[in-house]
Amino acid sequence: MIPDEVRSEVSQLRELLRYHNRLYYTENRIEITDGEYDALMRRLSEIESRWPELATEDSPTLRVGSKPLSSFPSLFWDPPMLSLDNVFSTEEFSEFDKRIRRELKLEKDPSYSVEPKLDGLAVALVYENGILVKAGTRGDGSEGEDITPNARTLRAIPLRLSGDPPPALVVRGEVIFRKADFQKMNRERKARGQELFINPRNAASGSLRQLDSRITASRPLSFIAYGTAMWPEGITSQHSLFDMLGKLGIPVNPYNSVCRGAEEVEKACHRLEENRDELSWEIDGVVIKLDEDSLQKRMGTLSRFPRWATARKFKAEEAVTKLIDIDVQVGRTGRLTPVARLEPVFVGGVTVSSATLHNEDELAKKDVRPGDTVIVRRAGDVIPEVVRSLGRSEGERRERFRFPRSCPVCNGPVAREEDTSAHRCMNPSCPAKIRESLFHWGCRDALDIEGLGRKLSEQLVDKGLVKDVSDLYRLTSHQLVFLDRMGDISANNLINELDKSRGTNLQRFITGLGIPGIGRTVSGLLSDRFRSLSEVMDASADDFLSIEGIGPVLADNLQRFFNEKITRNVVNRLLNAGFNPESSEVDDVEKPLQGLTVVFTGGISTPRPDARSMAEDAGGKVTESVSSKTDLVIVGPGAGSKLQKARELGIEIIDESEFLKRINRDGRILFEKRE
Ligand code: IVH
């Protein structure tokens, strides 16, 4: 028999914990310290473990997480969780507004709900009779991952709704980190010697998609709702929906507002953009929706996004800092890239301490010199770049940066390619090339070797343990344990991973070789055509040319790679190490743009050829003009007629950061971290 006072203490404790969660996450206030909160939680869990009958499925003690899952089951969303079309200027928003007024034959200006666009991870929360029963990620919009145990650990997500909830309610919103929570978490990680998170969005997505919900529980994530799957009974506008969600205890954005007509919307957007630094979370734009439900319904939706809403993206964030020096990095193919070393500066949501200067010509054009004050730009997840120099003060005569004529790593000869302005180190055994090719060998698209990151590749080369990829397969765990951050367990794991990689297929093997221009897609074409590696090695240039998608340059690269003594020997050593790569019946590499025809237009910051090959590697076909055959248009600022045409044809339009997200290149380019 449970004593009455225990029952009442339990309900009081739960009520108190709910009250403080709500205060913090919906009103941004605190009345008790973290320590006091933890003490309440501990007391509740002590009582629940003594009287397990008292445990309920909405108790705040569930927030500590539970045993790890082996994978996430799927959840299906109907209606699907849509994405948003974008506008980049006042004129474009005005066109959006005109279209609405024209199509709906409105006499007066419509009301719009103007909401900060939070940059996190979209999730849906399913409530039945006010109790949280399921939670999932957006995934591709129709199918997401069931992350219920993880969502339960977020204090911002009510496990039980307050007030008078409808019998069924699916809340949609964004899981995010508040800037302050994110910075505090990173400070603590630094103090513990753990790797830092790059930015709040990556951290939110990584933290929520943990198979072990106890890890999610340890991360201070927040949640803010921006809608529901269906309109609840009696709700007829976006703003009244927000009022209702607030009353149920679901956090909504206090900066949402209602504006009448395009001019008011414009002012509200400016206010948000000007004050974005003061907001508690990162925002990357403003979402503008027709406020009235009846008007939304009349505008309808296209397959990927509604016609009653749009996102007004902010322009790329810029910051001023000092350029300490210019380093020249050597990539896998020997390409020399000038990289600006900067005094750390917070821009676009992350602290940036290096930025690309692309190549010698760019560097000369911008004439940035070590010691200059420079403007750095970063948009969404793209690589930060130095925009221009603000010059040097009168009388200062700094030296123009001279591009090295020999490799900064091995001193080998450097040649300049006229068509691409790239410089390349010609020494085949340059250590920089070797460590980059080791790293590439282990990448997800290639051999996918967990643990073979940049740091380890660097150590293996610097310590002389590895001179080319085939040496990896001679390593012993005794050699590995002497390396930094390597214990018995990680050494054995790496040996096992390497061993497992011997069974790889032809596509991954060729991708891993890192032949110039031969990424995952072309390797896939080769593996469709040839059955084994020896067939590829013996093929002639004409054989390669007869494959659709392979032109003379790639055919020549392939021929040279397999005929050159040095590279052919590496391949033979790999074969001797136990590889026997053959075509697999099924392509096991998932491709996010498979079968889609895509067009780039406007100014995007990834160099066009790179963007093109990234799209192709992701399975897409890139064309120059927009037609009814186009599936996806990737736009940057200044896009003109192609964007217009895409709109007319109702083609999906996304911006660069969304493109990088889709092809899973989230901040991976400069910030690769796998260890
Ligand atoms: S509404 C029907 N409102 O932005 C339209 N989305 O780029 C569906 N987002 O997938 C979204 N803040 O994850 C909406 N106030 C807001 C938002 C918002 C952030 C995210 C959301 C969506 C993405 C589209």
Side-chain angles (χ1 to χ4, degrees):
M1 199 40 198
I2 303 168
D4 280 350
E5 57 274 24
V6 173
R7 281 187 194 280
S8 80
E9 186 182 355
V10 163
S11 56
Q12 250 176 28
L13 284 167
R14 287 183 185 155
E15 203 44 55
L16 264 175
L17 286 162
R18 268 185 210 119
Y19 168 77
H20 290 295
N21 282 341
R22 190 170 166 178
L23 204 64
Y24 183 59
Y25 288 102
T26 66
E27 293 175 35
N28 210 0
R29 288 197 293 130
I30 45 169
E31 283 174 3
I32 56 171
T33 63
D34 285 355
E36 286 162 341
Y37 182 92
D38 292 344
L40 292 174
M41 191 72 137
R42 260 199 316 277
R43 173 79 186 144
L44 178 60
S45 75
E46 272 161 23
I47 303 181
E48 285 181 357
S49 53
R50 175 131 183 244
W51 284 287
E53 317 82 288
L54 284 176
T56 55
E57 60 176 317
D58 64 346
S59 173
T61 48
L62 290 172
R63 300 197 184 281
V64 293
S66 45
K67 281 212 293 290
L69 306 171
S70 54
S71 65
F72 295 116
S74 289
L75 275 183
F76 296 89
W77 304 125
D78 183 20
M81 293 180 74
L82 299 176
S83 186
L84 288 166
D85 196 7
N86 294 303
V87 294
F88 292 95
S89 64
T90 311
E91 295 72 43
E92 285 182 25
F93 178 69
S94 151
E95 274 170 33
F96 168 88
D97 171 65
K98 276 193 205 131
R99 187 167 62 236
I100 285 180
R101 284 187 289 137
R102 192 178 56 237
E103 286 190 26
L104 300 180
K105 302 198 174 56
L106 299 180
E107 308 262 291
K108 50 182 188 161
D109 283 336
S111 288
Y112 289 105
S113 172
V114 178
E115 308 162 17
K117 185 170 188 298
L118 298 168
D119 198 13
L121 187 74
V123 299
L125 310 174
V126 183
Y127 287 93
E128 281 172 9
N129 299 315
I131 303 288
L132 177 72
V133 292
K134 280 266 172 251
T137 60
R138 171 174 182 269
D140 65 4
S142 303
E143 181 177 354
E145 289 168 325
D146 181 342
I147 43 116
T148 314
N150 301 18
R152 286 214 168 102
T153 70
L154 267 66
R155 286 169 49 189
I157 295 180
L159 300 172
R160 194 180 69 186
L161 298 176
S162 329
D164 186 18
L169 183 71
V170 180
V171 178
R172 292 175 173 179
E174 204 84 352
V175 167
I176 41 161
F177 270 108
R178 293 179 180 213
K179 288 182 207 159
D181 289 335
F182 176 75
Q183 279 155 8
K184 180 162 171 255
M185 177 174 73
N186 256 354
R187 273 199 304 275
E188 289 167 0
R189 289 180 72 84
K190 191 169 177 192
R192 288 196 294 266
Q194 289 170 312
E195 189 156 7
L196 300 189
F197 289 113
I198 309 159
N199 62 32
R201 193 175 59 71
N202 280 1
S205 150
S207 301
L208 198 63
R209 298 180 63 258
Q210 290 284 340
L211 289 167
D212 187 341
S213 54
R214 289 167 298 191
I215 300 181
T216 314
S218 71
R219 310 263 169 90
L221 289 159
S222 295
F223 171 80
I224 294 204
Y226 55 66
T228 49
M230 306 274 207
W231 288 91
E233 276 272 306
I235 298 293
T236 56
S237 67
Q238 194 70 36
H239 79 270
S240 54
L241 177 68
F242 289 142
D243 290 345
M244 169 182 165
L245 293 175
K247 288 200 184 98
L248 296 175
I250 296 168
V252 287
N253 203 311
Y255 292 92
N256 293 342
S257 64
V258 179
C259 295
R260 192 170 274 282
E263 241 174 71
E264 264 190 39
V265 169
E266 196 56 30
K267 281 193 200 132
C269 289
H270 270 123
R271 263 198 310 276
L272 282 169
E273 183 159 11
E274 270 166 25
N275 296 320
R276 68 194 286 199
D277 291 344
E278 265 90 76
L279 302 187
S280 310
W281 342 259
E282 294 288 331
I283 64 172
D284 60 347
V286 182
V287 180
I288 305 145
K289 302 172 182 165
L290 269 175
D291 189 43
E292 269 179 56
D293 140 58
S294 59
L295 299 185
Q296 289 190 2
K297 291 208 175 94
R298 282 169 60 200
M299 282 307 286
T301 63
L302 298 172
S303 66
R304 308 277 306 208
F305 51 81
R307 299 181 69 238
W308 43 263
T310 191
R312 168 91 195 255
K313 286 300 195 83
F314 290 156
K315 57 177 183 297
E317 256 199 85
E318 293 183 347
V320 174
T321 189
K322 200 170 178 109
L323 187 141
I324 303 167
D325 208 348
I326 297 173
D327 298 331
V328 177
Q329 292 180 353
V330 185
R332 175 170 51 86
T333 56
R335 186 184 172 131
L336 270 54
T337 307
V339 175
R341 201 155 13 101
L342 305 167
E343 257 174 31
V345 59
F346 196 70
V347 52
V350 292
T351 305
V352 166
S353 53
S354 63
T356 180
L357 284 158
H358 304 292
N359 55 40
E360 184 182 26
D361 290 355
E362 276 288 310
L363 188 61
K365 200 163 79 200
K366 290 179 179 163
D367 189 20
V368 275
R369 305 183 190 188
D372 283 3
T373 300
V374 292
I375 296 186
V376 183
R377 172 168 43 202
R378 186 170 176 281
D381 277 315
V382 292
I383 307 174
E385 64 164 352
V386 174
V387 185
R388 65 192 167 94
S389 168
L390 293 176
R392 27 214 100 80
S393 39
E394 281 289 319
E396 272 186 285
R397 296 179 56 85
R398 294 202 182 95
E399 283 286 302
R400 217 174 221 282
F401 180 79
R402 288 235 233 115
F403 213 81
R405 298 295 148 204
S406 60
C407 173
V409 175
C410 70
N411 229 350
V414 164
R416 186 184 148 120
E417 286 172 8
E418 273 324 311
D419 49 347
T420 60
S421 315
H423 287 76
R424 283 185 209 279
C425 167
M426 307 299 283
N427 174 7
S429 38
C430 169
K433 284 191 192 175
I434 302 172
R435 62 182 183 236
E436 288 301 316
S437 49
L438 289 190
F439 173 68
H440 176 79
W441 180 253
C443 271
R444 200 171 52 181
D445 295 348
L447 281 281
D448 198 16
I449 299 167
E450 193 72 41
L452 184 59
R454 273 219 162 81
K455 295 235 168 67
L456 180 68
S457 306
E458 196 172 320
Q459 286 193 68
L460 290 172
V461 176
D462 291 352
K463 298 247 157 48
L465 292 172
V466 171
K467 297 210 164 48
D468 65 55
V469 284
S470 71
D471 291 338
L472 285 172
Y473 296 89
R474 271 200 284 266
L475 289 171
T476 62
S477 47
H478 300 295
Q479 287 172 309
L480 290 173
V481 286
F482 291 107
L483 302 177
D484 293 346
R485 304 201 301 174
M486 199 39 102
D488 283 340
I489 296 178
S490 11
N492 280 328
N493 285 348
L494 183 67
I495 300 284
N496 286 340
E497 278 281 314
L498 285 165
D499 204 30
K500 201 171 78 193
S501 73
R502 288 183 166 96
T504 198
N505 63 25
L506 189 57
Q507 180 181 18
R508 286 179 178 277
F509 186 92
I510 301 177
T511 307
L513 295 175
I515 306 165
I518 315 294
R520 192 167 64 171
T521 309
V522 180
S523 303
L525 299 176
L526 292 165
S527 119
D528 288 344
R529 169 65 180 274
F530 303 102
R531 268 165 312 173
S532 67
L533 185 69
S534 50
E535 284 186 21
V536 181
M537 289 174 83
D538 295 338
S540 67
D542 281 346
D543 291 334
F544 291 132
L545 274 171
S546 69
I547 299 175
E548 200 188 321
I550 297 189
V553 177
L554 294 186
D556 187 47
N557 290 355
L558 283 162
Q559 265 268 298
R560 279 174 38 186
F561 185 90
F562 290 115
N563 287 337
E564 201 89 49
K565 206 165 152 204
I566 298 180
T567 36
R568 204 176 164 100
N569 280 345
V570 174
V571 176
N572 283 327
R573 281 201 293 276
L574 282 167
L575 295 179
N576 290 335
F579 280 89
N580 181 22
E582 290 181 347
S583 303
S584 52
E585 292 279 299
V586 212
D587 180 0
D588 64 344
V589 189
E590 79 197 67
K591 292 180 185 167
L593 301 184
Q594 189 62 51
L596 300 186
T597 302
V598 307
V599 173
F600 290 95
T601 179
I604 58 167
S605 60
T606 309
R608 249 337 139 75
D610 295 349
R612 188 186 180 100
S613 57
M614 280 151 78
E616 284 170 355
D617 280 357
K621 182 172 154 211
V622 182
T623 62
E624 287 306 317
S625 57
V626 174
S627 73
S628 58
K629 295 211 180 81
T630 312
D631 299 295
L632 183 66
V633 176
I634 296 124
V635 289
S641 59
K642 289 187 196 175
L643 174 60
Q644 187 66 30
K645 183 139 185 221
R647 288 228 167 88
E648 282 161 16
L649 293 171
I651 295 166
E652 186 184 7
I653 300 163
I654 59 171
D655 66 2
E656 187 177 5
S657 65
E658 174 68 23
F659 166 66
L660 294 172
K661 264 192 227 175
R662 291 249 181 117
I663 60 166
N664 302 324
R665 291 292 285 263
D666 267 16
R668 287 185 79 213
I669 302 152
L670 268 196
F671 304 108
E672 190 72 60
K673 52 174 186 123
R674 279 178 57 102
E675 279 145 310

